[in-house]
């Protein structure tokens, strides 16, 4: 898949995206694990393992949804530093807070309602800033990336986990058929929403940059040495870049 510089085809206006996630929120976790056959859990774990997390500053997980990556990050650092999960969809955050109370009350995680295009944090506040399956939904990708980089401290890392396109011939076609035809039908049927969330999913993935295209956008936003790691034959990819000081650049 290549980066598109044309106007987006998919309606990603803040209100549409927020309403769509509010509608699917109660079934979001179940649908996620079902449609990815549980592999999404492994992808998030991979992201937490790859990050360098030995600083004293807190960690920010943007577009945190129901908080799964935020909890994993907090476990990985054994609660040594706080993790903040931000999202602009209150129903998703309510589920994250309920999960925290029920299963992760021992962890210093808190949730905050915020638009990723305008994060309510000072520059350089976090040792790491992450986003899992969220950046694709942010109306202005570059603005979202710049905000993540702005709030990340010098020497820290920014990680993006996102769907991508498998390149292996045969598997690519099979996956695309599943993604375009099976997933929207199954998703729509089980999630029962009016916002066509499971049609939006393949469409938004198809038009979103991946691989080197996204790595270049991350570097343009202020990161260095962005490493791209395809996961599960490229169904998803993990991108990690370093926020370097002016002095080191
Ligand atoms: C597909 S979910 C991903 C949730 C979670 N990170 C995960 O790994 O399951 C996308 C999330 O991004 C949030 N989101 C989309 N655009 C946003 C924006 N501009 N600011 C904040 N959150 C946003 C949605 O509300 C939703 O909770």
């Amino acid at each position: 898949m290549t980066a598109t510089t044309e106007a987006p085809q998919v309606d990603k206006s803040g209100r549409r995206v927020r309403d769509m996630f509010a509608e699917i929120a109660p079934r979001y976790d179940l649908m996620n694990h079902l449609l990815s056959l549980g592999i999404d859990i492994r992808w998030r774990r991979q992201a937490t393992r790859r990050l360098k997390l030995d600083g004293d500053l807190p960690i920010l997980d943007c577009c945190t949804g129901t908080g799964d990556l935020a909890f994993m990050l907090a476990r990985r650092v054994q609660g040594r530093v706080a993790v903040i999960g931000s999202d602009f969809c209150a129903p998703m955050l309510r589920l994250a807070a309920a999960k925290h109370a029920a299963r992760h009350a021992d962890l210093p995680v808190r949730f905050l309602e915020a638009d990723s295009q305008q994060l309510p944090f000072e520059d350089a506040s976090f040792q790491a800033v992450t986003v899992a399956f969220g950046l694709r939904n942010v109306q202005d990708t570059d603005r979202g990336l710049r905000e993540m980089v702005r709030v990340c401290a010098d020497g820290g890392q920014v990680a993006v986990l996102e769907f991508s396109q498998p390149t292996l011939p045969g598997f690519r076609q099979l996956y695309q058929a599943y993604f375009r035809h099976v997933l929207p039908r199954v998703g729509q049927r089980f999630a029962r929403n009016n916002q066509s969330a499971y049609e939006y999913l393949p469409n938004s993935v198809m038009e979103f940059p991946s691989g080197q295209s996204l790595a270049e956008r991350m570097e343009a936003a202020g990161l260095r040495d962005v490493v791209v790691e395809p996961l599960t034959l490229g169904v998803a990819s993990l991108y990690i870049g370093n926020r370097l000081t002016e002095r080191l650049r």
Side-chain angles (χ1 to χ4, degrees):
M1 192 178 353
T2 51
T4 49
T5 45
E6 300 143 26
Q9 310 287 306
V10 176
D11 176 9
K12 291 190 190 176
S13 62
R15 188 163 174 193
R16 192 253 165 141
V17 170
R18 197 184 294 114
D19 288 353
M20 186 180 72
F21 282 104
E23 225 179 284
I24 62 170
R27 288 177 214 88
Y28 176 78
D29 281 348
L30 177 68
M31 295 305 297
N32 237 359
H33 304 332
L34 199 75
L35 293 171
S36 76
L37 309 174
I39 299 170
D40 62 306
I41 301 170
R42 213 182 319 150
W43 292 336
R44 286 190 201 85
R45 186 159 304 125
Q46 192 86 329
T48 63
R49 287 204 184 120
R50 291 282 185 268
L51 278 165
K52 178 169 71 73
L53 298 172
D54 51 9
D56 297 326
L57 290 172
I59 299 164
L60 174 66
D61 180 39
C62 299
C63 301
T64 196
T66 58
D68 282 357
L69 182 57
F71 297 129
M72 273 189 197
L73 288 162
R75 287 255 173 255
R76 155 86 207 278
V77 295
Q78 298 176 316
R80 201 174 33 78
V81 297
V83 177
I84 296 178
S86 67
D87 199 289
F88 72 176
C89 179
M92 293 290 264
L93 288 178
R94 277 198 287 278
L95 289 164
K99 225 189 262 182
H100 186 219
R103 304 213 294 264
H104 306 284
D106 57 316
L107 295 173
V109 178
R110 74 189 171 84
F111 295 101
L112 185 96
E113 200 171 325
D115 189 328
S116 286
Q117 298 173 107
Q118 215 171 348
L119 291 169
F121 305 109
E122 303 274 311
D123 296 0
S125 304
F126 299 95
Q127 63 170 299
V129 184
T130 60
V131 62
F133 310 108
L135 185 63
R136 174 178 38 89
N137 305 294
V138 174
Q139 192 164 13
D140 184 335
T141 310
D142 297 315
R143 192 167 158 196
L145 280 171
R146 280 198 303 273
E147 275 296 87
M148 292 178 76
V149 174
R150 179 184 68 76
V151 300
C152 184
D154 289 339
Q157 290 188 315
V158 170
V160 177
L161 178 60
E162 194 47 87
F163 288 109
S164 47
Q165 291 290 307
T167 47
L168 193 71
F171 179 71
R172 181 184 166 89
Q173 284 73 18
L174 204 68
Y175 170 76
Q176 285 186 340
Y178 167 75
F179 211 61
R180 279 190 200 171
H181 305 298
V182 181
L183 184 144
R185 287 197 178 83
V186 178
Q188 212 60 43
R189 186 173 176 151
F190 284 93
R192 285 182 246 115
N193 74 99
N194 297 322
Q195 307 280 333
S196 307
Y198 292 90
E199 274 171 32
Y200 166 91
L201 175 60
N203 292 340
S204 64
V205 171
M206 299 298 163
E207 85 170 25
F208 195 69
S210 72
Q212 274 316 306
S213 306
L214 186 55
E216 279 163 24
R217 301 275 280 264
M218 290 174 71
E219 294 191 343
L223 297 168
R224 293 293 170 270
D225 306 322
V226 175
V227 172
V228 185
E229 183 181 354
L231 307 171
T232 318
L233 298 173
V235 169
S237 293
L238 174 63
Y239 308 79
I240 298 186
N242 299 313
R243 174 86 160 103
L244 294 185
T245 55
E246 283 300 334
R247 195 164 29 82
L248 293 172
R249 277 179 198 163

